[in-house]
């Protein structure tokens, strides 16, 4: 979030998406636009226009060059807060997604709770 990119394991499957948001601490509070093409399997050090050198000195000092899928992100003004109201079959809280979830931008911008994003 602080560096303007998202990196995950190389070759992880994603559907085409123009925006990405992350669930953290039982809520979605930020929305990002995916900028440019997603890099499929790259050494993060080979992408200085996306991953600044400060990232390695501040967050990942022992980075070994493991390939990652890399998204360049731009924060979008999002005034909302989407609380995770997901429950399992026993009524206990469970995470909204254990994998990716997809919805429309319109539905996302109107949602107040994660159940508004389903369907």
């Amino acid at each position: 979030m602080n560096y303007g990119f998202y990196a995950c394991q190389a070759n992880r499957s994603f559907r085409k998406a123009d925006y990405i948001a992350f669930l953290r601490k039982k809520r979605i509070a930020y929305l990002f636009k995916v900028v440019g093409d997603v890099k499929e399997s790259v050494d993060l050090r080979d992408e200085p226009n996306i991953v600044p050198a400060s990232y390695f000195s501040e967050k990942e000092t022992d980075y070994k060059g493991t390939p990652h899928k890399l998204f360049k992100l731009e924060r979008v003004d999002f005034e909302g807060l989407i609380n995770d109201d997901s429950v399992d079959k026993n009524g206990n809280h469970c995470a909204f997604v254990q994998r990716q979830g997809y919805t429309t931008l319109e539905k996302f911008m109107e949602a107040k709770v994660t159940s508004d994003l389903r369907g």
Side-chain angles (χ1 to χ4, degrees), residues 82-101:
I82 302 173
N83 290 308
D84 186 5
D85 65 343
S86 302
V87 293
D88 65 16
K89 64 182 179 180
N90 299 315
N92 299 316
H93 180 267
C94 63
F96 170 60
V97 290
Q98 298 295 328
R99 54 179 173 68
Q100 301 124 17

Side-chain angles (χ1 to χ4, degrees), residues 21-110:
F22 302 95
L23 183 67
R24 183 170 179 255
K25 295 184 180 180
K26 299 182 184 179
R27 66 183 191 174
I28 300 169
Y30 306 101
L31 178 64
F32 300 90
K33 180 167 182 54
V34 177
V35 179
D37 293 330
V38 175
K39 310 282 185 168
E40 289 299 327
S41 183
V42 298
D43 180 328
L44 299 181
R45 296 173 296 195
D46 292 340
E47 299 295 334
N49 292 331
I50 299 174
V51 183
S54 61
Y55 169 76
F56 300 104
S57 62
E58 295 169 2
K59 295 294 181 185
E60 202 163 350
T61 57
D62 62 344
Y63 178 70
K64 306 272 192 271
T66 307
H68 286 78
K69 181 171 275 198
L70 180 62
F71 297 75
K72 183 175 182 179
L73 303 177
E74 183 177 284
R75 193 156 171 186
V76 174
D77 286 333
F78 172 62
E79 299 297 323
L81 179 66
I82 302 173
N83 290 308
D84 186 5
D85 65 343
S86 302
V87 293
D88 65 16
K89 64 182 179 180
N90 299 315
N92 299 316
H93 180 267
C94 63
F96 170 60
V97 290
Q98 298 295 328
R99 54 179 173 68
Q100 301 124 17
Y102 296 86
T103 191
T104 65
L105 181 60
E106 294 77 21
K107 195 178 279 191
F108 183 88
M109 295 304 257
E110 294 176 4

